[in-house]
C-alpha cells in the first residue's frame, strides 16, 4: 500500500491527520462542532509536548497534562494568545465563547468554561481548515508562554 492509496477521500489541498473530509467548510461549521474536534487536537498536542520532556513518569505526565488541558488552563492560554490572533481568528474565538454547549462545567466557572470552548473552537477551526502551520504556531507559542508564567 502506498501513501497515495492512504489519502483517498481527502479533499484536495486539505491537511488533516486522516482522510475524512469535513461535511462542510470549517467557516460554516457550528462553533461547538469545531470545539469538539479542537478539544481532541489540543489534547494530542499537549501529550506530544509532554512526551518530548525528560520526565515520563505516568503520574507526572497526568499532572502536567491536567495543568495544560483543564478549562482554567485553556482559558488562561486563550488570554495569552489573544494578542497574536488575526481578525478572523478573533471572530472564531468570539463565536466559540458565545456558543451554547448545553452542559454545565464541572470543575470551572462559567466564564473559564466559555473561554476554554472558544480556544477549542479556534483549534478546531484551524485543524478543520487545514491550517496546520498556524495551529502549530499558536499551540507552541501558547504552551511556551504557559510554561514561562509557571516558572516565574
Amino acid at each position: 500500500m502506498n501513501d497515495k492509496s492512504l489519502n483517498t477521500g481527502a479533499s484536495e489541498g486539505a491537511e488533516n491527520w486522516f482522510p475524512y473530509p469535513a461535511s462542510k467548510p470549517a467557516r460554516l461549521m457550528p462553533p461547538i462542532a469545531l470545539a469538539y474536534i479542537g478539544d481532541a487536537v489540543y489534547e494530542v498536542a499537549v501529550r506530544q509536548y509532554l512526551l518530548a520532556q525528560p520526565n515520563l513518569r505516568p503520574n507526572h505526565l497526568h499532572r502536567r497534562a491536567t495543568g495544560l488541558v483543564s478549562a482554567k488552563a485553556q482559558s488562561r492560554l486563550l488570554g495569552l494568545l489573544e494578542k497574536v490572533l488575526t481578525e478572523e481568528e478573533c471572530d472564531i474565538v468570539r463565536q466559540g465563547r458565545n456558543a451554547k454547549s448545553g452542559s454545565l462545567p464541572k470543575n470551572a466557572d462559567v466564564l473559564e468554561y466559555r473561554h476554554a470552548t472558544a480556544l477549542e473552537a479556534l483549534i478546531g477551526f484551524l485543524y478543520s481548515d487545514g491550517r496546520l502551520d498556524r495551529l502549530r504556531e499558536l499551540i507552541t507559542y501558547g504552551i511556551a508562554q504557559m510554561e514561562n508564567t509557571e516558572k516565574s
Side-chain angles (χ1 to χ4, degrees):
M1 184 181 286
N2 61 33
D3 286 343
K4 200 169 196 171
S5 65
L6 289 175
N7 287 328
T8 23
S11 58
E12 188 66 36
E15 283 189 50
N16 285 330
W17 296 341
F18 303 100
Y20 309 115
S23 60
K24 57 178 88 173
R27 198 70 173 107
L28 301 178
M29 295 175 96
I32 293 301
L34 294 172
Y36 173 75
I37 191 69
D39 176 53
V41 170
Y42 181 64
E43 176 81 24
V44 170
V46 166
R47 287 178 182 220
Q48 186 171 342
Y49 166 74
L50 293 175
L51 287 177
Q53 306 305 303
N55 190 344
L56 298 177
R57 292 186 320 251
N59 187 38
H60 182 78
L61 289 171
H62 177 71
R63 275 197 324 271
R64 295 274 314 274
T66 302
L68 290 168
V69 299
S70 69
K72 184 176 191 155
Q74 288 182 356
S75 175
R76 202 169 86 222
L77 178 61
L78 180 62
L80 294 168
L81 290 176
E82 284 180 322
K83 62 183 175 267
V84 298
L85 298 179
T86 66
E87 189 175 321
E88 179 186 36
E89 292 165 349
C90 286
D91 190 43
I92 298 295
V93 165
R94 181 187 53 75
Q95 291 174 28
R97 188 181 58 237
N98 294 334
K100 303 288 186 256
S101 70
S103 63
L104 295 172
K106 296 176 200 144
N107 299 315
D109 66 41
V110 173
L111 188 58
E112 287 173 338
Y113 185 75
R114 286 181 178 257
H115 284 110
T117 302
L119 175 71
E120 291 168 351
L122 174 61
I123 291 169
F125 171 75
L126 293 172
Y127 175 77
S128 297
D129 206 43
R131 299 183 198 183
L132 300 188
D133 288 341
R134 180 61 173 165
L135 174 65
R136 279 188 288 271
E137 179 184 339
L138 289 176
I139 290 176
T140 302
Y141 174 80
I143 289 175
Q145 293 297 307
M146 295 273 286
E147 297 286 76
N148 287 338
T149 57
E150 282 181 14
K151 290 177 184 172
S152 43

